[in-house]
Structures are given as C-alpha cells and as structure tokens.
Amino acid sequence: KGIFIEEFQEKCTTGEDLMILYCVIDEHVICIKVSSDRKFTAMQKATAFSCVAFTHLLLEQGPLSSGIWTPEAIGANEGNYNFIINKLKQMGVEI
C-alpha cells in the first residue's frame, strides 16, 4: 500500500495527461492506463471508451435481462467482463 503512488510520482514526471486505475479485488490486481492523444484527453477516453465498449456488448449480445444493471453487476459475468476488456484493448487502453 502506498508503493504504487510513490512509484507513479517518481516515474511520471513528464506532465503527460494520464489516467491510472489500480484496483485490488480479493487477491487480483487490475491496472488500467489511459493516455491522451490528439483527439481525446485521458479522462475523456476512460469514460467514453467504457460506454462505447458496453454499447458494443449490447449490440453484439443483445439486451441484458430487464431491471437496473450496475457496472459491477455487468462485469461480474465473466463473458461480459472479457468482452469489455478486449474491446477497451482494441481501442488502445492498456490493461
């Protein structure tokens, strides 16, 4: 704990527009890095690309069952999770 922040501060001295999501879930660690490009800021890509990946999921697999679905509930399904992660990778998000 805290080591990631220290390493991030040491290595990220260029002023690059960057968004890092670092999650520890049970014993699994997931790190997502999103960098800006000429069209989008890092935060724009992080938020919009997630919505695009979810939309592709719906277009390719059809609607989820009725009701309200949180991102956590959608991602709890391994097939949905893998689909969205692969779509984000295709769009240039480092995972």
Side-chain angles (χ1 to χ4, degrees), residues 6-16 18:
E6 292 170 12
E7 181 180 346
F8 183 76
Q9 289 172 335
E10 288 174 13
K11 292 183 178 179
C12 295
T13 58
T14 63
E16 177 185 8
L18 186 66

Side-chain angles (χ1 to χ4, degrees), residues 6-34:
E6 292 170 12
E7 181 180 346
F8 183 76
Q9 289 172 335
E10 288 174 13
K11 292 183 178 179
C12 295
T13 58
T14 63
E16 177 185 8
D17 180 23
L18 186 66
M19 197 240 24
I20 301 286
L21 174 64
Y22 182 83
C23 296
V24 179
I25 303 167
D26 297 324
E27 296 178 6
H28 304 285
V29 175
I30 299 170
C31 186
I32 299 174
K33 175 186 171 191
V34 183

Side-chain angles (χ1 to χ4, degrees), residues 57 61 74-86:
L57 174 73
Q61 297 184 11
I74 295 165
N77 175 289
E78 188 174 352
N80 292 343
Y81 172 84
N82 289 331
F83 182 93
I84 290 171
I85 292 297
N86 289 330

Side-chain angles (χ1 to χ4, degrees), residues 37-56:
D37 59 24
R38 292 179 185 220
K39 292 184 179 182
F40 303 103
T41 67
M43 189 55 73
Q44 287 172 327
K45 288 170 70 173
T47 55
F49 286 11
S50 298
C51 292
V52 169
F54 175 68
T55 301
H56 278 264

Side-chain angles (χ1 to χ4, degrees), residues 54-74:
F54 175 68
T55 301
H56 278 264
L57 174 73
L58 292 178
L59 289 171
E60 293 189 23
Q61 297 184 11
L64 303 173
S65 60
S66 63
I68 298 172
W69 285 84
T70 63
E72 295 84 4
I74 295 165

